[in-house]
Amino acid sequence: MASAQDTGADEVAAVAALVDDGHFAKAAERIDAALALPGTSAEKRSTLAFERERMRRILLDFTLGADEVKARVRKQIPDLIDAEFAKWDAAGLFEHQVIDGKTLYFNRSPSNLFRLSAEARARRKVQAPLVDGPMETPNAHHREVRDAALAQQRSSVAPRRVRVTQSLTVNADAVPAGETIRAWIPYPRALPGQQENLRFVDSVPAKHDIAPESALQRTVYLEKTAQVGQPTAFSITYELTVYGQYHAIDPQKVVPAAITPELAPFVAERAPHVVFTDDIRAFSRKIVGDEKNPYRIAQKLFAAVDEIPWAGAREYSTITNISDYALHAGHADCGQQTLLLMTLLRLNGIPARWQSGMVYSDGDYDNLHDWGWLYLAPYGWVPMDVTTGVFEDAPGLEWFYLGGFDAYRIAFNDDYGREFVPAKQHFRSETVDLQRGEAEWKGGNLYFDQWDYDFKWQVLPTAMDPAKKDRPSTTPDHTRLPEGA
């Protein structure tokens, strides 16, 4: 007979499946019935409560009807006809869900169209390039990193010293006046050869609690009392030195890694987002074929995932299995691509792990970003950034981001979905990543529609850059752009 624990797990899975299938009313009925039963465990109550919250979040992401999507697209394609919209819709170019019989479209599906369809881009009345980050195409910095690494016979080179102020501001009256708001702002770990010489400068409010270096999703914890009619602002300022990395990998020297106890977790499944499903296995067989060399396998998988077009993403907390979603949705953002690649690499016995944070620039660009690392014997752990991907027609730089990365990224997270120090008492807004921050009060979590964040940076002179050493930086402060802008 099934145990009570098994029965509980089955009930939670059934509710989650109803949510995924868009049967929100039925899911709500089952949640209510389960919570009314005596003896329902606290863990099950929390999980079911989150499924109710997940439905609420999905409805915040999926708000558009077909006519609203058409109206937004017509701002760029004034002569769009219904048949054209129907063709693109049937091709899956407008992400949508049928929820209790009503078709609702993802808020960003109108703008995502132009990233997913060359035909749609060509139809725009005003032709303008898509805005990508400066590292999306090969440039002088990539060559700087590669050339310095080869010349110096070391993997960590081309340092940048950066001063960062990151803030989180809760909307006025989101919390009753006099109540304490608890905030967690991402804070980097010191990682030898990647980001070093970390120096905390100050915070608002001044009292703060920095999580230990061992926290894989590290934060600075702050508290402040809400004032009537006023936003509640939190911020931290710090400096650190960031290095580019480049590993000149010789495929002939790569051998299968011996899976030690330390590496074992990085070739294992980790539900819900790293699962070796039947579809994942079939995709892997199709891409890998008979290849046995771990680096060549990694190249094949990297290139295949890179082929998935980037598009603005719905909130990760609303997705049951992100790697499976990335495989089937027809598009994926950086974290979704990274989790898919990690899953495929692990399935093939190649250790892979997560990393994420913010990317910045010498200009006015910055963004949330996710990437990862893979383990290649005898080289050890090397970086991978599948979203930036393969640089075609760039001799010597084609595979820069499979074994290297630029010096314009700050890592906040060395894993996904890990506990904070101190722990949150309520649901997280972002259950996977941590780049914007988190906030709550005794009445519950504060979701993304109740606060905003900002990321400002300044590239400082470094002792290893004589041209800048004796003069102040002229690089201005910058603020973040919305992802995919």
Side-chain angles (χ1 to χ4, degrees), residues 58-279:
I58 290 171
L59 290 172
L60 290 174
D61 273 352
F62 290 78
T63 62
L64 303 179
D67 288 343
E68 292 169 295
V69 176
K70 292 177 191 176
R72 293 192 185 188
V73 173
R74 285 190 174 115
K75 290 180 180 180
Q76 298 195 57
I77 307 177
D79 58 345
L80 175 76
I81 61 174
D82 288 349
E84 195 171 26
F85 173 84
K87 180 183 71 171
W88 290 339
D89 197 15
L93 297 179
F94 299 107
E95 185 171 3
H96 63 271
Q97 291 197 38
V98 179
I99 298 176
D100 291 335
K102 182 178 182 181
T103 301
L104 295 174
Y105 290 82
F106 177 41
N107 298 338
R108 297 178 69 174
S109 64
S111 58
N112 279 344
L113 170 69
F114 300 103
R115 287 193 169 271
L116 302 179
S117 171
E119 180 184 11
R121 288 195 297 275
R123 290 274 287 112
R124 290 182 298 178
K125 182 178 180 179
V126 177
Q127 290 295 315
L130 297 172
V131 178
D132 291 313
M135 296 300 155
E136 295 290 318
T137 53
N139 59 47
H141 177 65
H142 297 119
R143 289 184 285 274
E144 174 194 10
V145 171
R146 180 201 61 189
D147 293 350
L150 295 176
Q152 299 173 26
Q153 294 294 295
R154 53 182 295 173
S155 59
S156 298
V157 292
R160 267 64 177 166
R161 184 73 179 169
V162 192
R163 184 183 180 98
V164 171
T165 297
Q166 186 153 347
S167 61
L168 186 159
T169 303
V170 178
N171 298 347
D173 302 321
V175 169
E179 295 289 351
T180 298
I181 299 177
R182 294 154 45 90
W184 290 258
I185 296 181
Y187 187 63
R189 303 166 76 205
L191 302 172
Q194 181 179 352
Q195 47 194 39
E196 301 178 353
N197 303 317
L198 178 62
R199 184 176 77 90
F200 187 87
V201 177
D202 59 30
S203 66
V204 176
K207 184 179 178 181
H208 63 273
D209 185 2
I210 300 177
E213 287 268 4
S214 58
L216 296 180
Q217 293 195 310
R218 197 181 190 195
T219 60
V220 177
Y221 173 76
L222 305 157
E223 292 184 356
K224 211 170 185 182
T225 302
Q227 305 293 323
V228 65
Q230 297 182 18
T232 306
F234 304 86
S235 69
I236 63 171
T237 298
Y238 58 89
E239 295 178 1
L240 78 169
T241 301
V242 184
Y243 291 83
Q245 288 211 15
Y246 183 81
H247 298 258
I249 298 169
D250 181 350
Q252 301 305 316
K253 294 181 180 179
V254 177
V255 297
I259 304 304
T260 63
E262 291 75 21
L263 289 178
F266 303 108
V267 291
E269 295 177 278
R270 183 180 158 201
H273 300 303
V274 177
V275 180
F276 304 155
T277 65
D278 290 343
D279 286 352

Side-chain angles (χ1 to χ4, degrees), residues 390-405:
V390 180
F391 287 152
E392 297 179 356
D393 303 320
L397 293 175
E398 298 95 328
W399 298 98
F400 180 89
Y401 282 103
L402 184 60
F405 57 31

